Amino acid sequence: MAGTLYLVATPIGNLEDMTYRAVRVLSEADLIAAEDTRNSIRLLTHFGIRTPMTSYHEFNKYDKGRELVDQLLAGKNIALITDAGTPGISDPGQEVVRMCHEAGVTVTSVPGACAAVTALIISGQETRRFVFEAFLPAEKKERREVLSRLKDEERTMVIYEAPHHLKKTLAELFEALGDRSVTIERELTKKHETLQKTTLAEACAYYETNEPRGEYVLVIAGADHKEAVKAEQAMWQESMTIPEHVKYYEDAGMDRKEAMKAVAKDRGISKRDVYRELIGGE
Ligand code: SAM
């Protein structure tokens, strides 16, 4: 009988977030595959877990993945852990899971901490629908494409970032998305956890004089198209009267009927309202 691959979540900073089940599964497994065995030894020692470990990381995920699948097929139960949080989320895991599916090996999870969800739920942003963008791509062209796509994303966006890239990422997000509400969360579940609910413009200014330190998650408000339309309608209303607005389009070459239609659309009012104002103004 083949064994089972367990994807076991570990704490993202607070050891008390280790689950009872995680301790039991890691203790009972035949082998623990860890992203960094030196890092995980501390966690395992803390919980008195003595299961043998092997390394499974980004750079050996194919060869080591196949070895793990062979051991699973031979009947071993293997638990996969990463340095922190949930395996497979911006961490190794996906490849060996895919290999297990192909080989007919059972995969199951021992859920627990994940920085993305932890950040989202305390962000004060809309939580009903969200997208997880992980780390923005490092490659320039791909990064530009992702940023341009995110401009129109209406769901809340969750992004991971390392401290040394935070300023650049905030500046690029501001440039691509305009000013938006953002919750910047740092050192989640740790002693120095901080949450800053601010805007992208304010955040850029803040980090001009404050050096980023620690691990960050950014939770950004989705695009509010209704708000954008309302702002544009208000802009027209404040900048000129309806007759001036009609004249603006006539001067640009439209006939009166076309101009009235365009004005009605810009202001979110009916053509009849435009006509009425025009008659009153003439
Ligand atoms: N698998 C992990 C999970 O489930 O969240 C994510 C691993 S990814 C390599 C590491 C990134 O997650 C960090 O750069 C940071 O953006 C985020 N992260 C992890 N722990 C965090 C924490 N305690 N506070 C804030 N962000 C954290």
Side-chain angles (χ1 to χ4, degrees):
M1 262 259 292
T4 296
L5 176 71
Y6 295 85
L7 266 73
V8 182
T10 55
I12 56 168
N14 190 326
L15 286 178
E16 287 178 356
D17 292 335
M18 187 77 167
T19 68
Y20 289 113
R21 190 165 162 239
V23 174
R24 182 183 58 76
V25 167
L26 289 171
S27 304
E28 289 175 4
D30 297 303
L31 181 67
I32 296 173
E35 184 181 9
D36 180 344
T37 51
R38 281 166 309 176
N39 178 68
S40 293
I41 195 82
R42 269 176 269 144
L43 177 83
L44 301 184
T45 306
H46 181 86
F47 289 100
I49 299 163
R50 291 186 189 80
T51 308
M53 262 200 289
T54 187
S55 70
Y56 174 79
H57 47 70
E58 186 55 31
F59 307 104
N60 69 0
K61 63 183 178 186
Y62 297 106
D63 292 348
K64 195 52 169 280
R66 272 187 287 274
E67 267 179 45
L68 293 178
V69 171
D70 286 344
Q71 297 194 53
L72 285 155
L73 287 170
K76 284 195 176 174
N77 289 317
I78 301 180
L80 178 70
I81 57 174
T82 60
D83 286 348
T86 300
I89 300 299
S90 293
D91 264 345
Q94 178 184 313
E95 201 53 46
V96 68
V97 168
R98 189 186 58 74
M99 289 176 177
C100 284
H101 281 273
E102 278 171 15
V105 171
T106 303
V107 180
T108 190
S109 64
V110 181
C114 174
V117 175
T118 306
L120 177 71
I121 59 170
I122 60 169
S123 68
Q125 307 288 354
E126 175 91 44
T127 58
R128 193 174 76 82
R129 297 190 312 140
F130 66 95
V131 280
F132 175 55
E133 282 293 330
F135 291 96
L136 292 179
E139 202 272 315
K140 265 191 182 167
K141 184 164 173 270
E142 205 186 336
R143 192 173 172 99
R144 247 198 328 267
E145 279 167 12
V146 169
L147 283 165
S148 125
R149 189 165 40 73
L150 289 183
K151 182 175 185 291
D152 292 320
E153 177 57 66
E154 292 181 9
R155 292 165 293 184
T156 300
M157 293 160 269
V158 182
I159 296 175
Y160 282 169
E161 194 47 284
H164 52 288
H165 289 139
L166 186 76
K167 284 188 200 178
K168 179 173 173 270
T169 297
L170 285 171
E172 288 177 357
L173 284 164
F174 174 60
E175 200 185 310
L177 277 54
D179 204 12
R180 288 275 179 95
S181 171
V182 60
T183 312
I184 303 179
E185 299 180 46
R186 195 183 141 262
E187 299 288 86
L188 288 161
T189 74
K190 300 183 194 175
K191 193 172 164 203
H192 297 293
E193 170 175 302
T194 53
L195 182 152
Q196 243 180 316
K197 188 145 193 267
T198 178
T199 71
L200 286 171
E202 281 172 9
C204 289
Y206 176 85
Y207 284 104
E208 281 298 310
T209 49
N210 294 275
E211 215 38 54
R213 266 194 206 96
E215 299 192 276
Y216 287 86
V217 183
L218 309 177
V219 186
I220 306 169
D224 189 340
H225 292 305
K226 277 191 227 116
E227 278 303 311
V229 169
K230 262 196 236 157
E232 194 163 333
Q233 288 169 355
M235 185 277 292
W236 282 114
Q237 277 155 27
E238 280 157 24
S239 60
M240 58 182 84
T241 63
I242 289 180
E244 284 167 350
H245 199 163
V246 172
K247 185 168 180 308
Y248 165 84
Y249 279 123
E250 284 178 337
D251 289 348
M254 287 186 187
D255 63 28
R256 176 150 290 207
K257 212 171 151 200
E258 285 170 337
M260 282 168 60
K261 198 172 161 194
V263 169
K265 185 162 176 274
D266 284 349
R267 293 179 174 245
I269 57 178
S270 69
K271 273 188 283 176
R272 183 181 304 177
D273 287 340
V274 177
Y275 179 72
R276 208 176 287 140
E277 272 293 315
L278 214 50
I279 298 303
E282 278 178 352

